[in-house]
Amino acid sequence: MHAIFVSAQGGPEVLEYVERPDPTPGDGEVVVDVAASGVNFIDIYYRSGAYPLDLPIAIGSEGAGTVAAVGAGVRDVAVGDTVAWANVLGSYAEKAVVPAARLVPVPDGVSAELAAATMLQGMTAHYLTHSTHEVKEGDRVLVHAGAGGMGQLLIQLAKLRGATVYTTVSTDEKEKLAREAGADEVLRYDDFAEALRGTIDVVYDGVGKATFDGSLDALRPRGLMALYGAASGPVPPLDPQTLNKKGSLFLTRPTLVHYIAERAELLRRASDLFGWISAGELRINISHRYPLADAQKAHEDLAGRRTTGKLLLIPASTAGDHTDR
């Protein structure tokens, strides 16, 4: 089988499309024939060295496909099941080894590609809007990068809970996508802080360095800043007294792993998402599909903000004629 490995951390050029022996499952593990793997900023962090890894290693953090083999002790998953997962390294591959406890069943009516596009970003949007800050009817919510895959999901889930949603984008084309996702007002990055100063209940910020100070300024007293990523670079150290001066603000740096630590919570979040997709209440925008061998290009496009919506890698064995670049 083929997979994307890194032998040294660095730029997109370190992503190697290599051939490896087909894997076999260990105790409690499952081998999945991968239909699609999602491309996420966390993959860039692993590739670049922002998150250290023991090398060499296969990367990629989410995917979906069909169970090909099960290991000893696996009870709730069978060969032929369609399953999906998140936060499992080695997902950029034709075959992935996944702990059975990390898998979720994909229901009829949701394709493997949609499932792969939903898991990591979808569950992140779910915990941010349902747990980190439980969005309520009438809340004023700011979502940065509203045309991206995460941004579109956050806008939709906040609207499902009755919020007024403000978002930031960089172009007219991206503004159109953010409005189609349901944003009530779309702003540019250079003026959002002044326009919203002191009025926002919660900010969902995956941009990081470039928007952080403005995000704090946009919050009302006792508002919450959820910094869930750093696409523009890491935020410099912050004096906690700043949060006092700006209105007794709350600041959190959450991550998905702590919100799906219990299997029941993992299944609940995934079930909610697949249910909303099946009911037509949540739209997953798959904007680009790349052959697995083109992982470098996918990383370049994501980091360069040349895409909107979700990016998928499609193994050659399942690609057919629908990949694009």
Side-chain angles (χ1 to χ4, degrees):
M1 67 113 183
H2 290 89
I4 301 297
F5 269 73
V6 292
S7 299
Q9 291 177 290
E13 69 280 356
V14 305
L15 298 175
E16 304 173 72
Y17 182 65
V18 301
E19 190 170 2
R20 290 289 188 271
D22 286 355
T24 56
D27 290 355
E29 293 180 335
V30 170
V31 172
V32 182
D33 288 330
V34 179
S37 180
V39 180
N40 299 282
F41 268 100
I42 193 170
D43 304 331
I44 292 177
Y45 302 155
Y46 282 128
R47 184 212 74 214
S48 67
Y51 292 176
L53 293 171
D54 293 328
L55 302 173
I57 195 169
I59 69 164
S61 302
E62 72 177 337
T66 304
V67 174
V70 300
V74 174
R75 298 286 181 265
D76 298 328
V77 181
V79 171
D81 288 353
T82 302
V83 293
W85 64 91
N87 281 7
V88 178
L89 278 173
S91 300
Y92 287 4
E94 292 178 333
K95 294 179 180 290
V97 178
V98 184
R102 305 288 289 278
L103 292 171
V104 300
V106 177
D108 293 341
V110 177
S111 70
E113 282 197 8
L114 271 179
T118 300
M119 289 298 292
L120 197 150
Q121 290 183 336
M123 288 197 296
T124 297
H126 190 291
Y127 84 69
L128 286 170
T129 56
H130 288 64
S131 300
T132 302
H133 174 89
E134 189 173 353
V135 176
K136 303 178 296 299
E137 182 84 26
D139 274 0
R140 294 166 61 92
V141 173
L142 172 59
V143 174
H144 283 301
M150 266 300 303
Q152 292 181 48
L153 289 168
L154 282 166
I155 291 168
Q156 291 179 80
L157 293 193
K159 291 301 296 181
L160 281 176
R161 297 186 70 85
T164 299
V165 180
Y166 303 82
T167 191
T168 53
V169 300
S170 58
T171 67
D172 290 344
E173 178 187 5
K174 292 182 177 182
E175 177 175 345
K176 181 175 182 293
L177 289 169
R179 291 194 184 279
E180 289 174 351
D184 295 285
E185 186 168 344
V186 183
L187 304 165
R188 296 298 188 263
Y189 290 100
D190 57 0
D191 64 359
F192 79 88
E194 188 58 36
L196 300 176
R197 186 175 300 275
T199 66
I200 296 298
D201 295 292
V202 58
V203 178
Y204 296 120
D205 191 338
V207 176
K209 182 178 180 181
T211 52
F212 183 78
D213 290 341
S215 294
L216 293 181
D217 290 339
L219 285 169
R220 64 162 172 80
R222 292 165 54 186
L224 171 69
M225 163 75 146
L227 180 70
Y228 68 87
S232 68
V235 174
L238 174 73
D239 181 355
Q241 186 66 10
T242 301
L243 303 177
N244 170 18
K245 292 178 179 178
K246 291 182 179 293
S248 297
L249 303 181
F250 294 87
L251 170 64
T252 183
R253 178 57 174 92
T255 191
L256 176 60
V257 66
H258 298 132
Y259 287 86
I260 55 171
E262 299 295 329
R263 179 156 177 78
E265 192 170 29
L266 167 66
L267 293 174
R268 176 175 61 84
R269 296 194 193 282
S271 178
D272 283 352
L273 291 163
F274 293 148
W276 292 325
I277 291 170
S278 297
E281 296 177 311
L282 180 65
R283 182 176 62 89
I284 307 298
N285 176 15
I286 300 174
S287 65
H288 286 70
R289 297 171 175 87
Y290 303 79
L292 178 62
D294 284 356
Q296 290 187 19
K297 174 63 173 169
H299 275 223
E300 290 167 358
D301 288 349
L302 181 62
R305 300 174 66 186
R306 293 191 286 270
T307 62
T308 55
K310 185 67 180 184
L311 311 186
L312 294 179
L313 295 177
I314 310 296
S317 56
T318 58
D321 297 322
H322 65 298
T323 51
D324 54 68
R325 304 188 184 194

